[in-house]
Amino acid sequence: MQISFPPNLLSIEKWKAFKGKYPPGSNVEHRIIIVYKHDGNLKYFYVTSKVETARSLAMHDKGSLVDKIDGSDWDALDKESCIQCDKKHLHNTSEEELRKAYKEGGIKVLGEIPEKIKKLIISAVCASITFSDIEKMLYTV
């Protein structure tokens, strides 16, 4: 059972994960990982189980894919998954929007991601050809 906090006490920080119907327009729940926070603006990647599709999309930017992760890497995962860590798959939201979704029951808190997943994301962002050096610094520090 998950303990509910008042939305204003919800900890929304870099490297925290949530589960909900993200990115916008998604009909299924994904795990999202905050990789940037500044002045209430958030940027996140989402975890997908559509591994083969992600591999083909990352064909020209192979280093940007965090591949072959599962429940042994992070207990929030229930099947083999991956994270596409390129500019096209970096999504925006706000603290306000996440708090509203939490209040309405639209997201669940998963907590801080494991160090292993964090290191894999940092490595993938740094390897991606789609980010500038400044962006790489912002999303990996």
Side-chain angles (χ1 to χ4, degrees):
M1 183 175 113
Q2 183 174 333
I3 299 172
S4 287
F5 296 99
N8 61 326
L9 296 180
L10 182 63
S11 176
I12 300 174
E13 300 297 329
K14 188 171 183 173
W15 306 118
K16 297 277 184 172
F18 301 87
K19 184 176 181 181
K21 290 189 178 179
Y22 289 87
S26 178
N27 292 322
V28 297
E29 290 187 328
H30 288 102
R31 290 144 189 91
I32 65 169
I33 300 168
I34 308 293
V35 295
Y36 176 79
K37 177 182 174 185
H38 182 71
D39 289 340
N41 296 310
L42 308 171
K43 292 186 184 279
Y44 65 89
F45 293 118
Y46 68 94
V47 181
T48 181
S49 61
K50 294 185 179 181
V51 177
E52 291 306 318
T53 302
R55 285 180 185 146
S56 65
L57 289 172
M59 193 169 88
H60 300 293
D61 192 10
K62 290 183 182 184
S64 69
L65 187 66
V66 173
D67 201 3
K68 299 179 182 173
I69 54 174
D70 60 26
S72 67
D73 301 303
W74 183 18
D75 60 7
L77 301 177
D78 51 16
K79 59 178 112 174
E80 184 180 348
S81 301
C82 64
I83 307 167
Q84 296 166 275
C85 299
D86 59 19
K87 195 176 277 195
K88 181 180 177 188
H89 292 94
L90 183 67
H91 297 277
N92 297 304
T93 190
S94 67
E95 273 191 78
E96 183 181 321
E97 185 180 306
L98 272 188
R99 289 184 196 288
K100 182 178 180 223
Y102 177 78
K103 183 178 180 181
E104 296 170 354
I107 63 164
K108 298 175 190 124
V109 178
L110 299 177
E112 193 157 335
I113 64 168
E115 193 65 27
K116 178 181 181 179
I117 300 293
K118 179 180 172 180
K119 286 179 181 176
L120 290 169
I121 291 170
I122 289 170
S123 178
V125 167
C126 289
S128 177
I129 61 174
T130 63
F131 293 116
S132 69
D133 288 344
I134 292 171
E135 289 169 320
K136 288 176 183 182
M137 184 191 70
L138 289 173
Y139 307 143
T140 60
V141 179

